[in-house]
Amino acid sequence: MKVHISLAASAALLALAPVNATLAAPEKGAATEVPSQLPRNAAPLHYSITVTPNAEKLSFDGNVLIEFLLKTPSDSVTLNAADIDFRRVTIAKGRAAAMPATASVNAAAQTATIAFGKKLPAGRYTLNIDYSGKILQQANGLFALDYKDPQGAEKRALFTQFEAPDARRFVPSWDEPNYKATFDLTATVPAEQMAVSNMPVAARRDIGNGLAEVRFGTSPKMSTYLLFFGLGEFDRITKQVGPTEVGVVVGKGNGPKGQYALDASAKLVAYYNDYFDTPYPLPKLDNVAGPGQSQFFSAMENWGAIFTFERVLLNDPKITSARTRQGIFSTDAHEIAHQWFGNLVTMAWWDDLWLNEGFASWMESKATAHFNPDWQSELDRVNGREGAMGLDAYVTTHPVIQKISTVEQTSQAFDTITYQKGEAVITMLEAYAGETIWRDGLRAYMKKHAYANTRTDDLWNAVEAAGAKGLVKIAHDFTKQPGVPLLEVKSAKCVNGSTLLTLTQSEFSRDRKAETSAKPQRWNVPVIAQVIGQAPSKTVISNGSGSLQLAGCGAFIVNAGQSGYYRVLYQPDMMAALQKDFAKLPAIDQLGLLNDSQSLAFNEYQPVRTALNLVDAVPSDTSQRVTEDNVSTYGYLYGLYEKDPARQAKLAKLASNRFGPTLSKLGYKQSPSDSTLDANLRSSLISTLGYMGDPAVVAEAKRLFAELETNPAALDGPLRTTWLGVIAQNADQADWDKMRKLGQTAESFLVKSSMYRLLGSARDIALAKQALALALTKEPGPTLSAAIINGVSGDHPELAVDFALANREAVEALVDVSSKSEFIPGLGYGSSDPAMVGKLEAYAKAYLSPESRKPVDQAVAAIQTRIKSQPRIRTETSAWLDEKAAQ
Ligand SMILES: [Zn+2]
């Protein structure tokens, strides 16, 4: 699954409605104790599911035949079910007559116990269950997405979303990843609609009354969370890759907009076939587009039938930016990597979720960089690692491998630590092992565990066996304990043309600095360092200190190439040398050094001026990616002076002087000679300078917006959302009304969605209030309203939280069940108001179980740290700005 990691606050904050299920006691003497919330007396072998959805009534009828193995003599089995109405249950052995059985539901535990009426001997049985269920309007279980087709007609399409615990809303089942089985699915559907599942259609027949019965081929052995069903007025485009038919399924008429994703999928399947040395095992691989959005995720890797929201799948010349196209490629790369890593080989339990997600994130970057070297995707990794280190340095963090005991903890596990720290740790281990040994280890792992389940150590052992000596102990240190190592370069001595570094290891913290300095955790840290322009040297720092000899003398960088998961603190003279030679560093090290120095300065490990001097040293002709980072730092500083408009005006002027010439050179319009990175930089400069009120940028936005009156296509193209974003932020009532009108009259759902999302970003408080009120009406549609509220929380977290608390039930109905208790803390995450802490605490006390408090704890930690650190950052920044002005 691809979750919304990039949306700042949403990052670490997911939870499910409280469920009281707890971990079942492991069987005594079991060799490998895979956790389970179900009794262990039975396991499924095969499901034959038949469904008849009633899209209009938002319900469905189902029947399932479950062949299962009763392992010990028992009078009942317990499986998962949520919001399922059991009508008739029987149990049969072989050809013997079926016997009636009774189902009793435990709604809180999301289970149903099927009682047989007497004790049955161990053996193979078949359960036959008639039931009905609900079609939801947020992305959980079987759900509906409504949209208008290009002719303006109201349409409804159905999809499923089962990860982590929602297959049980579709079919009573052993809904845990370790219970793999095969699946047959048959559906009765409107004859004019297309039905899609994991496997190709095996048979289809008209059954009268405008209905057809569609039977799909039998799936391979897989976990329940990977099952998929979709139904609607679709078009499907395809491409053949060896024996695999690769497809993209889109709303009718959108075929051409799916071509970019189809081309990407075809390339990626071939690449992974080769990389894993195991061919993709299903006959087809579709990527199914759904209109609308979720606050939780953007795509899901159902085996053979990936689901992706339109905004990260359709390439529409009217609106799609270069950055969105990159997102289409990388999201596809992520989900296709899961077809092997996750689907073919699956974590045994959710405590190893990171194995799926950290790995897919890493593979996504690797494949994206392979096909698009000009995108500098390796720099995305540096920013992903930065996001992870930010969260990992609070006391509220958790290890990459974490204990998962309840259903809500499963959903909370889809966070930045799992995805981005997971990716960063794998990046470090690949660099340690070397690309070839690492790949050979993965190939062996894939072959050994195909169609089965694994624990993290299965992977480490495979890679170490392939030749990566010492990998397991490093891997354990970074996955079993939380936190961020801090390496301090104590000294650097130039002797006979080489440099001897001495390093000590402590721990980087944002809220326990004294404690972690006094008693840091220890890691085995693989270190790569080099004098600029010389060959790199490698070592592993153990037990808190070490030394390293580098070829050459002069400015040097530790964590050269940025594959390490740690921060580096230099002595002032070393920093001064790096600042002087900054332009000679590769872009990736420039970015890593900027991130480290800012984070260390803002968290009081070094003076703020050290970081700001480095920001100032970034040359204007560096990589566009580094310039983007640089302009965003100015945006961050500007935001710090919310209550000091005079200082903001000075900062804005400084930013305009510094970046205005770069923007002038790029021009306001997309040019045919643009690279992807040029296009991204232009968009970032317009957004950030527009946010800071740059007169030229705001005037151009207003000019283009006015032009819409006479030319409705004036804003069409890759910068449409960027320019409208500037208008939206600086909007007055007339602008806002006009934007809303553009949303109402948009000719495609994709464009409509983008317009409504922007309505929440007005800085004007009266307009922010209007946006909130609008979110509770039917006008935006059920999946866009939460995005509007989220938009308001950007500039007005207090307003958004007060509104959400006052309308709690209505607001929570606007988000996926699985992200419900994450949503409100997410709205308040960016606040620096002491009152927010009390509000969120009161919310947690009233509505969250102790197990699902984590989102609130994380938001509170971030807010409190901000309240404490911001005055100091402001004071030091002001002094630096004043000195700069006086020069
Ligand atoms: Zn994923």
Side-chain angles (χ1 to χ4, degrees):
M1 182 149 47
K2 179 98 175 168
V3 301
H4 294 312
I5 292 296
S6 56
L7 300 178
S10 328
L13 312 170
L14 311 160
L16 196 81
V19 173
N20 294 321
T22 49
L23 205 63
E27 254 175 291
K28 277 209 178 90
T32 48
E33 288 169 351
V34 174
S36 170
Q37 293 166 342
L38 296 170
R40 294 155 189 269
N41 62 333
L45 302 165
H46 180 74
Y47 297 85
S48 294
I49 305 164
T50 307
V51 287
T52 306
N54 187 334
E56 199 187 326
K57 291 199 171 144
L58 293 173
S59 66
F60 66 95
D61 291 321
N63 171 269
V64 62
L65 295 170
I66 312 176
E67 293 172 45
F68 71 100
L69 188 65
L70 194 63
K71 296 176 182 172
T72 54
S74 313
D75 58 5
S76 70
V77 290
T78 298
L79 36 66
N80 293 110
D83 272 340
I84 293 280
D85 195 6
F86 286 81
R87 288 184 179 152
R88 196 179 64 93
V89 187
T90 62
I91 181 162
K93 184 168 175 59
R95 290 190 193 151
M99 300 179 301
T102 52
S104 43
V105 169
N106 180 343
Q110 301 186 343
T111 58
T113 297
I114 313 283
F116 314 141
K118 62 176 182 186
K119 192 172 252 187
L120 296 178
R124 281 173 83 129
Y125 293 87
T126 302
L127 280 173
N128 185 339
I129 305 173
D130 275 336
Y131 63 98
S132 61
K134 290 179 187 157
I135 299 177
L136 302 177
Q137 290 195 282
Q138 303 294 339
N140 297 102
L142 179 59
F143 67 98
L145 291 174
D146 296 345
Y147 63 100
K148 280 198 176 109
D149 75 3
Q151 287 70 46
E154 293 283 352
K155 297 290 173 187
R156 169 166 289 173
L158 302 182
F159 307 91
T160 58
Q161 170 57 33
F162 293 161
E163 192 183 19
D166 289 321
R168 63 192 65 173
R169 296 178 186 278
F170 183 68
V171 58
S173 51
W174 278 265
D175 190 17
E176 294 183 351
N178 200 40
Y179 288 113
K180 288 194 173 184
T182 49
F183 292 82
D184 281 327
L185 178 64
T186 303
T188 302
V189 302
E192 76 283 4
Q193 296 193 3
M194 185 189 292
V196 187
S197 184
N198 308 79
M199 296 294 286
V201 173
R204 180 187 172 103
R205 62 183 181 105
D206 278 318
I207 55 171
N209 288 333
L211 295 173
E213 187 189 80
V214 181
R215 182 168 60 79
F216 298 96
T218 304
S219 80
K221 207 175 153 199
M222 65 183 196
S223 307
T224 41
Y225 78 91
L226 296 169
L227 185 65
F228 178 79
F229 175 67
L231 176 67
E233 294 185 14
F234 298 147
D235 281 339
R236 179 167 184 260
I237 55 174
T238 63
K239 236 181 184 180
Q240 198 67 27
V241 180
T244 310
E245 187 180 64
V246 175
V248 167
V249 177
V250 294
K252 240 185 194 343
N254 277 337
K257 296 176 194 163
Q259 192 64 43
Y260 180 80
L262 181 66
D263 293 342
S265 292
K267 280 189 216 176
L268 288 160
V269 167
Y271 175 79
Y272 292 138
N273 276 336
D274 176 59
Y275 187 86
F276 293 118
D277 197 30
T278 297
Y280 175 74
L282 278 66
K284 63 104 178 170
L285 173 58
D286 281 319
N287 195 337
V288 184
Q293 66 180 82
S294 151
Q295 288 305 298
F296 177 37
F297 74 106
S298 48
M300 171 66 205
E301 68 266 22
N302 318 294
W303 213 356
I306 295 165
F307 171 84
T308 306
F309 282 104
E310 280 184 349
R311 54 190 290 216
V312 274
L313 193 144
L314 299 186
N315 178 33
D316 183 346
K318 194 174 170 68
I319 189 169
T320 304
S321 65
R323 204 188 304 279
T324 300
R325 241 184 333 273
Q326 289 179 290
I328 295 171
F329 193 98
S330 62
T331 302
D332 203 29
H334 180 104
E335 303 309 337
I336 298 182
H338 274 311
Q339 305 300 307
W340 284 262
F341 220 101
N343 300 4
L344 182 61
V345 181
T346 312
M347 77 259 130
W349 181 244
W350 300 109
D351 50 2
D352 279 323
L353 175 69
W354 91 280
L355 251 187
N356 270 15
E357 296 303 349
F359 191 89
S361 302
W362 169 81
M363 197 76 231
E364 157 196 344
S365 302
K366 191 176 183 77
T368 302
H370 173 82
F371 286 109
N372 310 281
D374 57 316
W375 291 359
Q376 298 183 12
S377 307
E378 63 280 8
L379 274 69
D380 291 329
R381 277 199 173 146
V382 178
N383 283 337
R385 181 188 67 185
E386 188 60 25
M389 285 183 173
L391 276 176
D392 207 13
Y394 288 121
V395 69
T396 49
T397 189
H398 62 81
V400 165
I401 300 172
Q402 55 180 331
K403 187 164 176 271
I404 301 288
S405 305
T406 63
V407 174
E408 67 264 30
Q409 286 173 346
T410 307
S411 289
Q412 287 178 344
F414 289 84
D415 69 0
T416 296
I417 299 297
T418 296
Y419 281 73
Q420 261 65 35
K421 182 172 179 183
E423 174 178 1
V425 169
I426 291 174
T427 302
M428 178 166 71
L429 294 172
E430 186 200 25
Y432 177 80
E435 272 192 329
T436 308
I437 287 176
W438 177 260
R439 189 203 58 200
D440 290 349
L442 284 177
R443 287 177 170 182
Y445 168 85
M446 206 58 71
K447 285 194 171 57
K448 186 172 175 194
H449 302 286
Y451 302 101
N453 297 79
T454 54
R455 311 305 301 255
T456 294
D457 272 351
D458 294 321
L459 176 62
W460 302 150
N461 293 336
V463 180
E464 188 154 320
K469 274 202 180 60
L471 179 127
V472 174
K473 68 177 192 295
I474 299 168
H476 281 173
D477 285 356
F478 281 88
T479 54
K480 292 186 171 184
Q481 63 183 5
V484 184
L486 174 65
L487 292 189
E488 187 174 353
V489 190
K490 285 288 182 193
S491 68
K493 287 196 185 87
C494 174
V495 184
N496 296 332
S498 65
T499 304
L500 183 70
L501 300 186
T502 53
L503 300 159
T504 58
Q505 179 249 300
S506 61
E507 185 176 348
F508 173 72
S509 171
R510 301 175 77 168
D511 54 4
R512 293 159 299 144
K513 201 182 155 199
E515 206 180 315
T516 55
S517 299
K519 210 179 161 209
Q521 299 181 98
R522 291 290 175 224
W523 289 263
N524 285 286
V525 187
V527 176
I528 303 173
Q530 74 189 115
V531 170
I532 296 177
Q534 302 284 338
S537 299
K538 291 185 183 188
T539 189
V540 176
I541 301 289
S542 302
N543 300 319
S545 63
S547 61
L548 183 59
Q549 188 148 1
L550 308 182
C553 291
F556 61 90
I557 181 137
V558 177
N559 206 0
Q562 303 301 314
S563 59
Y565 187 80
Y566 55 87
R567 292 205 185 281
V568 186
L569 181 60
Y570 298 90
Q571 303 305 319
D573 61 319
M574 303 169 192
M575 249 344 248
L578 276 169
Q579 190 184 315
K580 189 165 149 276
D581 283 347
F582 189 80
K584 293 182 192 159
L585 287 167
I588 192 165
D589 287 331
Q590 290 185 352
L591 189 60
L593 189 59
L594 284 165
N595 285 345
D596 257 359
S597 76
Q598 282 165 42
S599 189
L600 290 165
F602 297 158
N603 292 288
E604 230 177 329
Y605 284 85
Q606 67 185 11
V608 170
R609 69 172 52 249
T610 306
L612 296 181
N613 284 340
L614 199 63
V615 165
D616 227 20
V618 175
S620 62
D621 61 350
T622 183
S623 154
Q624 300 95 325
R625 296 294 319 269
V626 178
T627 307
E628 275 191 76
D629 183 79
N630 212 219
V631 71
S632 79
T633 302
Y634 277 82
Y636 165 78
L637 295 174
Y638 181 89
L640 278 181
Y641 290 103
E642 204 180 23
K643 295 189 179 111
D644 185 351
R647 187 66 80 178
Q648 277 195 329
K650 281 183 193 159
L651 260 168
K653 190 137 187 262
L654 211 58
S656 297
N657 289 341
R658 183 169 174 134
F659 301 105
T662 308
L663 182 54
S664 298
K665 214 161 117 194
L666 285 167
Y668 283 141
K669 276 208 174 85
Q670 180 91 351
S671 125
S673 64
D674 275 350
S675 66
T676 293
L677 295 189
D678 285 336
N680 290 347
L681 177 57
R682 175 189 295 111
S683 171
S684 282
L685 289 172
I686 291 171
S687 291
T688 310
L689 295 181
Y691 160 72
M692 296 166 85
D694 179 279
V697 171
V698 173
E700 177 65 7
K702 283 191 190 294
R703 187 188 70 75
L704 287 164
F705 194 58
E707 213 183 304
L708 284 177
E709 300 288 347
T710 49
N711 172 16
L715 275 167
D716 286 5
L719 286 164
R720 182 187 163 95
T721 310
T722 303
W723 285 119
L724 287 172
V726 175
I727 294 291
Q729 261 177 343
N730 299 293
D732 59 21
Q733 185 74 51
D735 295 335
W736 196 86
D737 290 340
K738 195 169 145 188
M739 291 190 71
R740 180 174 170 187
K741 187 104 201 206
L742 285 172
Q744 287 164 341
T745 56
E747 77 284 16
S748 81
F749 195 79
L750 192 66
V751 174
K752 173 187 166 168
S753 312
S754 75
M755 291 308 308
Y756 276 95
R757 277 197 294 275
L758 288 173
L759 286 175
S761 55
R763 210 170 298 162
D764 183 281
I765 192 115
L767 295 175
K769 285 180 182 163
Q770 286 179 42
L772 291 172
L774 177 67
L776 285 193
T777 68
K778 286 203 165 12
E779 184 180 318
T783 69
L784 298 182
S785 286
I788 297 178
I789 302 172
N790 211 19
V792 171
S793 78
D795 266 319
H796 308 287
E798 293 77 20
L799 185 69
V801 167
D802 290 346
F803 175 83
L805 289 174
N807 301 280
R808 191 184 53 83
E809 283 185 17
V811 166
E812 287 184 349
L814 300 173
V815 297
D816 308 354
V817 180
S818 49
S819 51
K820 219 185 225 177
S821 57
E822 160 266 333
F823 190 66
I824 290 175
L827 297 176
Y829 194 96
S831 170
S832 38
D833 178 1
M836 181 64 80
V837 173
K839 287 177 193 172
L840 294 181
E841 290 285 1
Y843 164 75
K845 207 168 161 211
Y847 303 111
L848 303 181
S849 70
E851 297 85 25
S852 39
R853 269 193 60 98
K854 199 197 276 175
V856 166
D857 292 340
Q858 288 176 322
V860 166
I863 295 163
Q864 281 174 332
T865 302
R866 205 173 286 128
I867 292 169
K868 206 170 136 255
S869 65
Q870 278 187 347
R872 174 184 149 265
I873 301 172
R874 262 194 300 268
T875 306
E876 292 190 32
T877 303
S878 298
W880 182 81
L881 287 168
D882 291 343
E883 272 171 43
K884 208 171 145 65
Q887 277 164 12

